[in-house]
Amino acid sequence: LFPNMLRTEAQNCAFGLVGQNSDTTAGILEMPIYNDAYSAVNPVAAYAARKSVGTVEPTEYPTDQEVTEYDVSCGIRAWRKVVSQEDDTRSIMMPVFDPEHFSEERQADIPRTGCAQHPEWYVDHDDFIYTVCALWMGMDKPPMLHGQAGVGKTELARHLEWLFVMPLVRVTIQRSSDIDDIAGHVELVAKGDVNITEFFNGRVTKSWMSECVLLIDEPNVGPDEIWQFLRSMFDNSRELLLDMDKGQRIARNDFCYPILAINPAWDAKYVGTNELNYADVSRLEHIYVNMPPEAIERDILIQWCQEVEYVPTAEDLDKVMDIAHQIRDLVAQGSLPISWNIREQIKVLQALKFFSLKRAYRLAITDALEPDTGQQITAIVQGYCA
């Protein structure tokens, strides 16, 4: 443990016992995550290798289960065993696809290591990967991710796509979203000397019939007709109902994995979001995506500073975390009508490479707020300025 992290590590350790500082692990009962031949050589490296299932490049992952001829015909190159963090006796097999199975156009939608979104940096701090895969592969249920803006809902979907090595289709719903774009529409098409009507599939319908992770983002802000269309995704029929195409039913591809993500309608900050009908609540499986423990949040922030080739000092990191605690207290009290999560923290810390602490917070949030509201944050930040 680095000296500047001793207190933070202790505060966030669920298994910690008070004792004397030691420079070795001699006489200490190690957790299972460290307890194997590899960790005996380098326990820190052992932990780093296990903190995410994504430590091996997905395109090179060796299979954990026999790949059959049928699997190969479906584009599956390997199977990855995903073990629950809560109970290591539970596991599920995740398909790993051969990118060459997809067209060049669709390969462009596969998240790759080193791309701008860095799907390889995602940290699974609450067993989300196993939970989603168990719902998809084990129960054939579509999960809905709930959570504040900036906690990593989209990043979770992108990380799963990276692990699967398959395209990510992200459909963001807005108030102005058109059902024709989402579901499909009828057009008059010239066929020789005559004109006929022809139905053209929308973005969701096309994706429903192909191998992909289909992320429906913020469906609870769209018009009612879009939600009614999406509702047919949630039952056990695995079909989309196209009323606009004479009631045609479209079967879901065996390797289309739908997932929905929403901001909570009960939170006054998210104006325009609609409460879910209980009938829809009962059809879906729900996952609340919360903030990670502070130690993990610090790791994530340091990781994302690499994007701007910046290594924050321990002092700056401590300041940003202390300020975050105070901002989050005001948010929880209802004094600040904002969210302050991982996304906002990354914005501030990356900006510190180029700007002062006060300017970094102005760029991240305060210049966008009503002056009296922004002053609450400015007053906190000012206390940390030299």
Side-chain angles (χ1 to χ4, degrees), residues 20-86:
Q20 297 298 316
N21 287 350
S22 173
D23 292 331
T24 76
T25 58
I28 297 175
L29 179 63
E30 295 177 290
M31 294 173 63
I33 197 169
Y34 299 107
N35 191 16
D36 63 11
Y38 178 47
S39 66
V41 177
N42 190 338
V44 175
Y47 169 72
R50 289 167 172 77
K51 70 178 181 178
S52 168
V53 299
T55 52
V56 177
E57 178 64 32
T59 55
E60 300 173 0
Y61 190 85
T63 191
D64 295 324
Q65 175 179 287
E66 180 187 358
V67 180
T68 67
E69 291 184 8
Y70 174 75
D71 294 337
V72 173
S73 70
C74 294
I76 296 172
R77 183 191 63 78
W79 290 95
R80 180 195 289 265
K81 184 179 182 180
V82 182
V83 179
S84 169
Q85 296 175 11
E86 295 182 342

Side-chain angles (χ1 to χ4, degrees), residues 221-296:
V221 303
D224 289 343
E225 61 182 357
I226 289 182
W227 187 255
Q228 290 165 4
F229 165 70
L230 295 175
R231 184 170 290 137
S232 63
M233 296 169 54
F234 310 149
D235 59 30
N236 294 327
S237 66
R238 295 163 49 98
E239 294 178 331
L240 273 183
L241 177 61
L242 299 179
D243 287 332
M244 62 288 297
D245 188 24
K246 303 176 183 178
Q248 182 182 176
R249 293 181 177 273
I250 304 295
R252 194 181 83 224
N253 185 288
D254 287 341
F255 301 103
C256 172
Y257 300 110
I259 185 169
L260 300 92
I262 65 171
N263 296 323
W266 47 260
D267 193 324
K269 293 190 293 292
Y270 303 107
V271 177
T273 54
N274 301 310
E275 292 281 357
L276 296 181
N277 183 298
Y278 184 73
D280 296 321
V281 172
S282 67
R283 288 185 176 99
L284 291 159
E285 305 294 326
H286 305 276
I287 303 171
Y288 192 85
V289 181
N290 50 8
M291 284 286 291
E294 181 175 325
I296 294 178

Side-chain angles (χ1 to χ4, degrees), residues 48 167 260 322 344:
L260 300 92
D322 288 346
E344 290 76 21

Side-chain angles (χ1 to χ4, degrees), residues 72-378:
V72 173
S73 70
C74 294
I76 296 172
R77 183 191 63 78
W79 290 95
R80 180 195 289 265
K81 184 179 182 180
V82 182
V83 179
S84 169
Q85 296 175 11
E86 295 182 342
D87 179 357
D88 60 11
T89 66
R90 300 178 187 272
S91 64
I92 195 78
M93 286 294 178
M94 168 197 296
V96 181
F97 284 80
D98 181 350
E100 297 300 322
H101 173 71
F102 304 99
S103 67
E104 288 188 14
E105 181 181 4
R106 300 200 67 214
Q107 285 183 39
D109 294 327
I110 300 175
R112 301 300 183 103
T113 301
C115 71
Q117 294 79 24
H118 293 289
E120 72 278 12
W121 288 356
Y122 182 80
V123 179
D124 183 14
H125 64 88
D126 200 12
D127 215 10
F128 295 128
I129 294 171
Y130 171 79
T131 303
V132 172
C133 287
L135 292 174
W136 277 340
M137 270 69 77
M139 299 171 61
D140 197 18
K141 300 285 188 180
M144 173 173 275
L145 307 178
H146 301 253
Q148 305 282 331
V151 294
K153 300 186 296 296
T154 301
E155 285 69 23
L156 170 57
R158 187 175 289 117
H159 183 69
L160 286 162
E161 287 288 64
W162 177 72
L163 293 172
F164 283 35
V165 193
M166 67 190 310
L168 171 66
V169 179
R170 182 182 179 185
V171 179
T172 301
I173 307 298
Q174 302 172 347
R175 290 186 187 180
S176 58
S177 293
D178 191 338
I179 188 65
D180 288 352
D181 177 57
I182 301 298
H185 62 280
V186 174
E187 285 186 14
L188 196 63
V189 179
K191 295 287 187 180
D193 296 331
V194 298
N195 293 330
I196 63 171
T197 57
E198 188 171 337
F199 185 80
F200 292 86
N201 291 321
R203 295 183 64 203
V204 169
T205 308
K206 287 179 183 177
S207 302
W208 188 255
M209 297 186 290
S210 63
E211 302 100 331
C212 68
V213 170
L214 173 57
L215 172 61
I216 310 293
D217 203 5
E218 301 189 54
N220 61 334
V221 303
D224 289 343
E225 61 182 357
I226 289 182
W227 187 255
Q228 290 165 4
F229 165 70
L230 295 175
R231 184 170 290 137
S232 63
M233 296 169 54
F234 310 149
D235 59 30
N236 294 327
S237 66
R238 295 163 49 98
E239 294 178 331
L240 273 183
L241 177 61
L242 299 179
D243 287 332
M244 62 288 297
D245 188 24
K246 303 176 183 178
Q248 182 182 176
R249 293 181 177 273
I250 304 295
R252 194 181 83 224
N253 185 288
D254 287 341
F255 301 103
C256 172
Y257 300 110
I259 185 169
L260 300 92
I262 65 171
N263 296 323
W266 47 260
D267 193 324
K269 293 190 293 292
Y270 303 107
V271 177
T273 54
N274 301 310
E275 292 281 357
L276 296 181
N277 183 298
Y278 184 73
D280 296 321
V281 172
S282 67
R283 288 185 176 99
L284 291 159
E285 305 294 326
H286 305 276
I287 303 171
Y288 192 85
V289 181
N290 50 8
M291 284 286 291
E294 181 175 325
I296 294 178
E297 181 178 354
R298 286 172 177 263
D299 286 347
I300 293 171
L301 296 179
I302 293 170
Q303 186 88 60
W304 275 94
C305 282
Q306 293 182 31
E307 193 177 43
V308 293
E309 299 180 351
Y310 173 53
V311 179
T313 65
E315 181 183 5
D316 281 345
L317 187 57
D318 286 343
K319 286 181 181 179
V320 168
M321 291 305 305
D322 288 346
I323 292 169
H325 291 319
Q326 296 184 56
I327 292 176
R328 288 165 183 168
D329 285 344
L330 291 175
V331 171
Q333 296 165 17
S335 300
L336 283 177
I338 63 171
S339 295
W340 196 261
N341 297 310
I342 294 290
R343 181 189 300 155
E344 290 76 21
Q345 292 278 79
I346 291 172
K347 288 167 63 177
V348 168
L349 207 56
Q350 288 182 341
L352 286 181
K353 178 181 179 180
F354 306 98
F355 304 101
S356 67
L357 191 69
K358 187 174 181 180
R359 174 67 70 174
Y361 279 89
R362 285 186 59 185
L363 291 167
I365 187 65
T366 58
D367 280 6
L369 299 176
E370 186 271 330
D372 288 342
T373 301
Q375 183 57 36
Q376 296 183 75
I377 297 177
T378 300

